[in-house]
Amino acid sequence: MRDRFLILILFLSSTLLIKAYSGGDGTQNNPYQIANTTDLIYLSNHSSGWNKYFIQTADITFDADSSQVDWDGDGSATWDAGVQLGFSSIGYSSINFQGNYNGQNHIISNLYINRESQDYVGLFGYTNNASMSNLGLIDFDIKGKKYVGGLVGYQDYGTVNSSYSTGAVSGNSSVGGLVGYQGGGTVNNCFWDTQTSGQNTSDGGTGKTTAQMKTQSTFTSWDFTSTWNIGDGISFNSYPYLKKYYL
């Protein structure tokens, strides 16, 4: 009877986790689907899934007014102490993100993190043997203390591929436009905007000016035939964006 009860609890826990996302079961063949801000905030607040597979299935845009977003996922956007801290980074020192996140050439915009007294801050705070790929971050504001990056605060024995960031990043030490600090791993074919980020350095990736970030030739090996496009140098679409949404 006890074993049956335990199995039931595990089944219900697994079912609730699956329903928390827009689809998938977290496996390599059927990754959890991140389709909206609710999915992404849920991922940031539930470390039980930080060793799973994820795919982003759409561009994700948070409200430009950060005070209108339920950053802590408690069901209310009331501007309380928790919400004022903004997004909670995916992965931290005691529980790393060890999963696989494939942005599928989508963008996340208006991400807000205001954690100036915390270390390991970024969309991904602390990764360990993880993989992040095919993702763009634009128009974000990220503040932390140590190990602060637009995409990753601290990367340990993992890969970042074909991603870019353009938002503002600040902290006290080990701060980078794309990656704050690499304890290991590789960053391949990735870029950050040195002007909009306010950072001339990153422990991974290649820094470019805003004009260069709006130039196709900067993004070597990126697929501008069928996947990516680049705009007119005026709107946000002048950074790389997914071709199928703007044909």
Side-chain angles (χ1 to χ4, degrees), residues 227-239:
T227 304
W228 290 98
N229 206 344
I230 201 159
D232 54 16
I234 299 174
S235 66
F236 90 87
N237 290 338
S238 52
Y239 291 108

Side-chain angles (χ1 to χ4, degrees), residues 126-143:
Y126 195 128
T127 66
N128 184 352
N129 199 30
S131 175
M132 292 75 67
S133 60
N134 308 315
L135 182 64
L137 295 177
I138 65 172
D139 298 330
F140 58 80
D141 185 4
I142 295 177
K143 297 181 178 70

Side-chain angles (χ1 to χ4, degrees), residues 101-128:
Y101 190 100
N102 185 349
Q104 294 196 127
N105 306 311
H106 288 290
I107 289 169
I108 297 172
S109 57
N110 297 333
L111 187 70
Y112 170 77
I113 303 178
N114 184 25
R115 299 173 181 266
E116 294 179 284
S117 63
Q118 294 184 19
D119 299 335
Y120 311 107
V121 176
L123 172 63
F124 296 92
Y126 195 128
T127 66
N128 184 352

